[in-house]
Amino acid sequence: MSQMSKGESVIAEAPMNAFSIAIVLLCCIVNIADGLDFATLVQAAPVISHAWAVNPRMLGVLFASTAIGMAVGAFVVAPQADRFGRRTILLSALALNAVVMLLSAAAGSVHELLALRFFTGIGVGSLMANLNVLVIEYANRKWGNFFLSVMHLCYALGVTFASQIGYWFVADHGWQILFIVGGLFNLVILVAVFLWLPESMQFLLAAQPRGALERVNRVRRRLGVEPLDALPAITGGGRARTRIADLIGPGMIAGSVLLWVASLGYSVVGFYHLSWTPKVLDDAGLPTRLALLAGTFTSIFSILGNLSMGYFSAIVSAARLTAIYFAGAATSFLLFGLNTGDPYMMLTIAPVISFFAQGAFSGLMINATRYYPATMRAAGVGFVVGFGRFGAVAGPLVGGIVLGAGGGLLPLYAALAVVAAVAAACIFIVSRFHGPAPATA
């Protein structure tokens, strides 16, 4: 993994104080807003489909527009944080989502909503990548991986928040209430970030914009460390290091490609599992009520997978542990396929898949944020998230085609096991590659 900059080494070795914990928790709250923004359409879709007579194909296009926007946010917007700053991109994305969500509540046609969901996706994709970066840059070595896992749980809390709004208020106030609450929540978070979130010290040391020394020392004082007398010399061209070509430059290309493949692999198996498991269990003969209850079991085990990765990756190698979790997911998928004649055994194995798959995702993000130096970290993580968007579409789509064609569960789940095993191999190999020292080293 990449060597640490001076700013990172200060934070990595120092105990976390109230200031650094508050920053990390604020990032977690922002991720709740991100999950809420993504899930509003999911909750509004049944009502919108009836109110506007929207057919399933058009609903699919609406969902796809969000996914495409997320890819644009991850590939195009998130990397700009290496040039303009993490705080700048976060504020811009939150402002965009606040405006677009409120405009969505006033949408008068499915085509207006289609365009607005594309821009929502851009905001969601931009936030997702940069929040991972900020948490790692403000948490110390002991707690960084754990807090990153907690932040991923907060995204799920945002999705749950959207479902509760839908359950309690949509019947009386219409689907618009989802977007109104989402927009107002983003506005509140926007104000909080503007008032309390400082720029990343790693970015300030690497890019050295105007007033960087004063801003760095302001952060260092609040972290309880001595201020700097002068900024370190820039050895990599400062902002010029943010070129996307650097991700596939000498010393970086192998690790980048391996992380992209692992992200694609996770998204294929993870989103297939999330989308199709209840239906597969129902078709296998499990009582429908139990098949639906599987979602509760898988959610609980997903939380445990997240937290266990965050905790144990601070003790053992994060790369090797992530590879083990991917291997565990591969084994679980294969066991699921081998037990297709026993629906209760399938029900038992399904949460185990969630444990390993979600834990592997947290591990993937931990590895991505720690692989790239500060000068290209937002771009690196953005591309890892962006490649995952392709798998998020392909996994459920290909799975649906195979299941619809009656191809049999064992070949399908064996193929999913292979995909997870490839991701495990990628993460294991990436631990052998080292990025260049950051510009501020």
Side-chain angles (χ1 to χ4, degrees):
M1 301 297 164
S2 64
Q3 299 178 33
M4 285 189 177
S5 68
K6 292 180 180 178
E8 287 176 294
S9 62
V10 167
I11 294 175
E13 303 304 329
M16 293 186 70
N17 61 8
F19 176 66
S20 56
I21 292 173
I23 292 173
V24 170
L25 292 180
L26 181 56
C27 290
C28 292
I29 294 171
V30 174
N31 213 29
I32 293 177
D34 210 25
L36 173 62
D37 295 342
F38 173 79
T40 47
L41 181 61
V42 175
Q43 297 300 317
V47 182
I48 290 174
S49 63
H50 290 296
W52 289 346
V54 180
N55 60 44
R57 180 178 295 180
M58 192 62 202
L59 274 180
V61 174
L62 272 175
F63 290 129
S65 70
T66 308
I68 293 170
M70 289 174 71
V72 172
F75 279 124
V76 179
V77 181
Q80 301 309 312
D82 290 328
R83 182 180 182 186
F84 299 108
R86 302 5 173 175
R87 171 183 159 88
T88 300
I89 297 301
L90 241 65
L91 287 170
S92 300
L94 283 168
L96 173 66
N97 280 355
V99 171
V100 171
M101 291 285 280
L102 292 173
L103 288 175
S104 297
S109 71
V110 68
H111 296 97
E112 290 179 10
L113 192 57
L114 178 68
L116 291 166
R117 289 306 295 179
F118 171 75
F119 286 104
T120 301
I122 291 176
V124 171
S126 305
L127 287 171
M128 188 180 297
N130 277 289
L131 288 171
N132 282 282
V133 171
L134 270 169
V135 168
I136 285 296
E137 290 183 342
Y138 268 109
N140 64 11
R141 190 194 308 275
K142 180 179 180 180
W143 291 103
N145 295 352
F146 178 77
F147 276 121
L148 193 63
S149 297
V150 171
M151 191 203 72
H152 292 149
L153 292 182
C154 288
Y155 188 88
L157 288 179
V159 173
T160 303
F161 184 20
S163 69
Q164 291 302 304
I165 297 171
Y167 181 80
W168 291 104
F169 298 107
V170 167
D172 293 329
H173 302 282
W175 58 267
Q176 292 88 348
I177 191 65
L178 286 157
F179 295 96
I180 292 172
V181 172
L184 294 176
F185 189 65
N186 274 273
L187 281 176
V188 172
I189 301 302
L190 174 64
V191 172
V193 169
F194 179 79
L195 292 175
W196 296 313
L197 183 71
E199 183 54 84
S200 159
M201 188 162 65
Q202 284 71 44
F203 167 77
L204 293 173
L205 290 170
Q208 299 191 8
R210 181 176 299 179
L213 180 60
E214 180 183 350
R215 295 168 70 185
V216 166
N217 284 336
R218 191 182 304 134
V219 172
R220 289 174 70 94
R221 291 188 191 96
R222 300 196 69 178
L223 290 172
V225 298
E226 289 295 319
L228 296 175
D229 294 325
L231 293 171
I234 298 177
T235 59
R239 295 195 182 194
R241 289 284 292 151
T242 62
R243 292 178 299 121
I244 304 305
D246 289 330
L247 300 180
I248 53 174
M252 299 301 295
I253 183 170
S256 290
V257 171
L258 288 166
L259 287 169
W260 297 343
V261 173
S263 180
L264 183 64
Y266 159 74
S267 297
V268 167
V269 300
F271 281 87
Y272 166 83
H273 178 59
L274 182 67
S275 301
W276 284 105
T277 293
K279 182 69 167 63
V280 168
L281 290 172
D282 185 56
D283 291 345
L286 198 69
T288 300
R289 190 173 181 181
L290 271 181
L292 294 175
L293 192 60
T296 301
F297 296 147
T298 55
S299 295
I300 292 171
F301 274 71
S302 292
I303 292 171
L304 294 176
N306 255 320
L307 294 178
S308 64
M309 172 58 70
Y311 179 79
F312 289 112
S313 63
I315 301 172
V316 301
S317 164
R320 292 181 183 176
L321 187 63
T322 304
I324 290 171
Y325 272 58
F326 269 123
T331 303
S332 302
F333 272 114
L334 185 58
L335 288 174
F336 191 96
L338 289 170
N339 285 276
T340 52
D342 186 346
Y344 289 95
M345 181 59 72
M346 294 166 70
L347 177 63
T348 302
I349 297 170
V352 180
I353 295 175
S354 295
F355 175 88
F356 284 116
Q358 195 58 39
F361 172 70
S362 283
L364 174 65
M365 290 295 102
I366 289 168
N367 281 280
T369 53
R370 296 198 183 280
Y371 180 75
Y372 295 102
T375 49
M376 63 177 76
R377 184 170 292 135
V381 176
F383 268 59
V384 171
V385 171
F387 274 95
R389 294 302 95 205
F390 296 123
V393 175
L397 179 62
V398 174
I401 292 172
V402 173
L403 291 171
L409 289 179
L410 180 55
L412 173 59
Y413 278 82
L416 292 169
V418 170
V419 172
V422 169
C426 288
I427 294 297
F428 180 78
I429 296 171
V430 80
S431 65
R432 301 173 62 88
F433 292 87
H434 300 268
T440 54

